[in-house]
């Protein structure tokens, strides 16, 4: 006799688990969770903690960007360590003086699009999903005759770091791909933030956000198409944030 199966009682809602990765219908053993559910929770919690302390795989990312014919800067923020980044969020929103010097010496003549890869709270998300999204997105920009600045890869960066990167690169619009706060079912969720006329000091209402980019969430193709639609609308209307609405649109029509 299988004692585990005899003791653990299934939940009558267990069939709903096929519709979500959330921790529902776990069953019970007396008044407690079954051992398997408890161990799965601990594993998910450990994966989320690992994601927070993960680092960007810069050599691989740079190699992939090179294969996409994209130049790149590797930049740092005013947060000198991961601990400092987590304790003092504002330091992850401003570039280090050396990073500003790098971008200033580049002496940009201006671009339509600036792209920033920032670790955020899950470098794992950037390592896993940023390149697949760019492989779909960059040809959209090329076909639409939109110029793209060298990619800024930022360690210890938060969303607002895109404002400074875009400002110094003289980009009309900046896209920040960043690792989102990990959850128990999604330690590697990628977010995309768009800002028209980026400049230091802008706040969240100036940005548009596309969240949960990953194969189990918003897939790469759908995410790239949504980003491209918002980019085209932002450049056409010369605005972003709360005033820019996602009304859908076919990519083929936007390119033509």
């Amino acid at each position: 006799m299988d004692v585990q199966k005899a003791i653990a009682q299934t939940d009558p809602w267990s069939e709903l688990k096929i519709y979500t990765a959330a921790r529902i219908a776990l069953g019970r053993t007396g008044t407690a969770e079954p051992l398997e559910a408890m161990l799965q929770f601990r594993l998910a919690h450990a994966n989320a903690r690992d994601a927070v302390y993960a680092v960007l795989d810069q050599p691989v990312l740079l190699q992939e960007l090179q294969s996409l014919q994209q130049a790149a800067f590797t930049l740092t923020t005013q947060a000198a360590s991961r601990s400092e980044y987590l304790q003092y969020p504002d330091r992850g929103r401003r570039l280090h003086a050396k990073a500003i010097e790098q971008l200033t010496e580049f002496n940009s003549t201006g671009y339509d699009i600036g792209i920033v890869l920032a670790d955020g709270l899950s470098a794992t998300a950037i390592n896993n999903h940023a390149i697949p999204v760019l492989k779909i997105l960059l040809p959209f920009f090329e076909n639409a005759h939109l110029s793209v600045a060298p990619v800024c890869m930022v360690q210890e960066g938060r969303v607002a770091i895109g404002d400074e990167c875009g400002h110094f690169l003289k980009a009309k619009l900046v896209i920040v791909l960043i690792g989102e706060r990990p959850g128990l079912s999604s330690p590697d969720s990628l977010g995309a933030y768009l800002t028209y006329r980026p400049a230091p000091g802008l706040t969240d209402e100036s940005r548009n956000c596309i969240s949960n980019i990953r194969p189990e969430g918003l897939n790469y193709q759908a995410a790239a198409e949504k980003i491209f639609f918002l980019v085209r609308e932002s450049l056409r209307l010369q605005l972003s944030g709360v005033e820019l609405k996602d009304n859908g649109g076919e990519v083929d029509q936007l390119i033509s």
Side-chain angles (χ1 to χ4, degrees):
M1 178 179 179
D2 191 329
V3 176
Q4 175 67 21
K5 290 184 178 179
I7 295 176
Q9 301 178 35
T10 59
D11 192 290
W13 288 5
S14 59
E15 62 185 32
L16 297 178
K17 296 178 73 172
I18 64 175
Y19 300 108
T20 177
R23 300 181 69 253
I24 65 169
L26 301 177
R28 62 187 177 86
T29 301
T31 59
E33 288 184 347
L35 177 62
E36 181 180 3
M38 182 184 68
L39 292 176
Q40 289 177 346
F41 170 81
R42 290 186 176 181
L43 176 61
H45 186 256
N47 288 335
R49 287 177 61 88
D50 286 347
V52 170
Y53 288 95
V55 297
L56 293 174
D57 193 346
Q58 292 188 355
V60 171
L61 291 170
L62 289 171
Q63 184 177 1
E64 293 286 355
L65 289 171
Q66 185 178 15
S67 70
L68 294 173
Q69 299 182 337
Q70 286 295 311
F73 292 102
T74 55
L75 307 173
T76 56
T77 66
Q78 294 179 8
S81 66
R82 196 61 176 173
S83 177
E84 186 174 324
Y85 170 84
L86 295 172
Q87 293 182 62
Y88 304 97
D90 280 348
R91 298 180 187 179
R93 299 185 178 109
R94 301 302 302 269
L95 288 170
H96 190 278
K98 291 184 178 179
I100 293 176
E101 184 179 350
Q102 284 180 262
L103 297 181
T104 302
E105 289 180 351
F106 178 66
N107 195 24
S108 172
T109 57
Y111 296 91
D112 294 314
I113 309 293
I115 298 175
V116 177
L117 306 183
D119 52 354
L121 290 172
S122 175
T124 306
I126 294 294
N127 295 336
N128 291 348
H129 308 311
I131 297 301
V133 171
L134 291 179
K135 285 182 177 179
I136 301 171
L137 184 60
L138 289 173
F140 290 165
F141 293 154
E142 183 178 0
N143 292 335
H145 307 292
L146 296 174
S147 58
V148 179
V151 174
C152 292
M153 191 185 310
V154 184
Q155 187 78 42
E156 316 297 2
R158 296 186 181 270
V159 173
I161 204 66
D163 297 336
E164 282 195 331
C165 292
H167 173 71
F168 286 111
L169 288 174
K170 300 178 183 177
K172 295 179 182 177
L173 180 146
V174 69
I175 302 167
V176 179
L177 298 181
I178 190 168
E180 298 181 314
R181 185 184 304 276
L184 293 177
S185 61
S186 56
D188 63 343
S189 181
L190 182 72
Y193 290 80
L194 288 72
T195 309
Y196 182 73
R197 294 200 183 283
L202 294 179
T203 48
D204 287 341
E205 83 280 355
S206 301
R207 307 182 182 101
N208 294 85
C209 174
I210 300 170
S211 185
N212 196 32
I213 302 172
R214 57 194 182 101
E216 300 82 5
L218 185 65
N219 64 57
Y220 302 143
Q221 183 70 35
E225 291 182 2
K226 188 174 290 289
I227 292 171
F228 181 66
F229 171 78
L230 289 174
V231 165
R232 288 298 301 269
E233 288 296 282
S234 179
L235 293 174
R236 181 177 69 86
L237 299 173
Q238 299 184 9
L239 52 81
S240 64
V242 294
E243 296 181 331
L244 179 62
K245 307 303 180 183
D246 179 7
N247 298 318
E250 296 295 331
V251 170
D252 290 343
Q253 295 176 359
L254 289 168
I255 293 176
S256 60

